Amino acid sequence: MERVLRFGEKVDGYEVRVLNERDVRAAAGILFLFALVAFMNSWLEGDFFLTRVFVVAFMIDFTIRVLVNPRYSPSMILARLFVRGQEPEYVGAPQKRFAWSIGLALSAAMFFLLVVRNVVGPINLAICLTCLTLLFFESAFGICLACMVYDRLPGRTATHCPGDVCDASVVGRHERLGVAELAIVVLFALAIAEAASVISTRSARAPTALGAAANDACKVPDWAVAIGHAEKWKLHNGCASSLR
């Protein structure tokens, strides 16, 4: 039973149990993808079905991670499938358990509010955005924000962090950004802003839905009707949904 109910693995050369950061980041990316799809569906369509399903899946996944064994978490299993050919990068398990406990608490709150009580409001939005932020930073940058909180708790010290960021002796070794690199980012942002302005102006000059309809440009193609995509086709082509 001890082999099943445990958190992290014992690896030679590490004084604490560890997890493979490759698995952790991949699992965070998988969850972030589905969380974003569910969130955007609720935000844009007002349909919370996918969000409710994801909340249940997220809570089950994190319950297994925290209370049973991360190895048996469905998202971690899928993650290992994708990164199985990569060299492991071991990180300390204690701070991850703390971080995932926060995730479990957030998912439990969402389950109670959204699934059990059917409550929709700013609290749900705040929790969703918090989860998305934590998952994004973990998957995109390898930064565990909750692990930083763990490292600042009395009597707690995070060890074996990704990139050795919790080792003070490593700070400053990495290449610093220069003025040229920062200037490129600024110029890129200005160029995109100008492009957005031009695109917006061109869109404003486009034919209105009624004018397009008069030219028969808003006639829904047969393929769109066949797949039930008629309303979306009209929306994407600037045609009023009432037009046929």
Side-chain angles (χ1 to χ4, degrees):
M1 183 62 70
E2 191 274 337
R3 293 186 60 185
V4 175
L5 298 176
R6 67 184 182 190
F7 194 94
E9 308 293 330
K10 289 183 178 179
V11 176
D12 292 341
Y14 294 87
E15 71 281 3
V16 297
R17 288 186 177 272
V18 294
L19 297 167
N20 184 1
E21 177 67 6
R22 311 284 188 189
D23 297 346
V24 173
R25 289 186 66 173
I30 292 170
L31 290 175
F32 176 78
L33 173 62
F34 287 106
L36 184 62
V37 170
F39 175 79
M40 294 307 295
N41 186 69
S42 299
W43 183 261
L44 297 176
E45 301 291 337
D47 183 355
F48 290 84
F49 171 75
L50 288 180
T51 301
R52 291 187 175 94
V53 173
F54 177 78
V55 166
V56 172
F58 190 92
M59 187 174 68
I60 293 174
D61 188 89
F62 269 67
T63 298
I64 296 173
R65 286 193 193 196
V66 176
L67 303 181
V68 181
N69 189 328
R71 185 173 185 81
Y72 304 119
S73 153
S75 65
M76 294 286 282
I77 293 173
L78 289 176
R80 285 200 301 276
L81 177 65
F82 285 107
V83 302
R84 63 187 183 279
Q86 300 180 15
E87 186 71 20
E89 178 188 358
Y90 293 114
V91 295
Q95 62 261 30
K96 292 294 185 183
R97 188 167 200 170
F98 173 81
W100 292 348
S101 296
I102 293 177
L104 177 58
L106 292 174
S107 67
M110 279 293 289
F111 178 80
F112 176 76
L113 290 172
L114 192 59
V115 179
V116 177
R117 299 297 300 274
N118 196 30
V119 174
V120 176
I123 297 179
N124 306 58
L125 178 61
I127 295 176
C128 280
L129 292 178
T130 299
C131 288
L132 285 170
T133 300
L134 294 174
L135 290 172
F136 178 75
F137 270 75
E138 181 84 76
S139 61
F141 309 123
I143 297 176
C144 177
L145 296 176
C147 296
M148 296 180 178
V149 177
Y150 173 90
D151 197 39
R152 286 163 176 74
L153 294 176
R156 304 287 185 179
T157 301
T159 58
H160 306 296
C161 304
D164 290 330
V165 294
C166 50
D167 183 355
S169 64
V170 177
V171 176
R173 290 186 191 172
H174 301 293
E175 182 180 354
R176 296 179 181 275
L177 292 177
V179 175
E181 289 89 346
L182 294 176
I184 289 173
V185 174
V186 172
L187 290 174
F188 175 77
L190 292 175
I192 296 303
E194 179 61 23
S197 176
V198 172
I199 293 172
S200 176
T201 302
R202 287 172 61 97
S203 299
R205 293 174 181 171
T208 63
L210 290 176
N215 296 322
D216 207 28
C218 281
K219 179 174 173 28
V220 180
D222 293 339
W223 65 264
V225 175
I227 64 174
H229 193 67
E231 293 301 318
K232 286 295 183 184
W233 186 93
K234 287 185 286 188
L235 175 64
H236 296 162
N237 286 273
C239 301
S241 60
S242 60
L243 295 175
R244 293 291 185 269

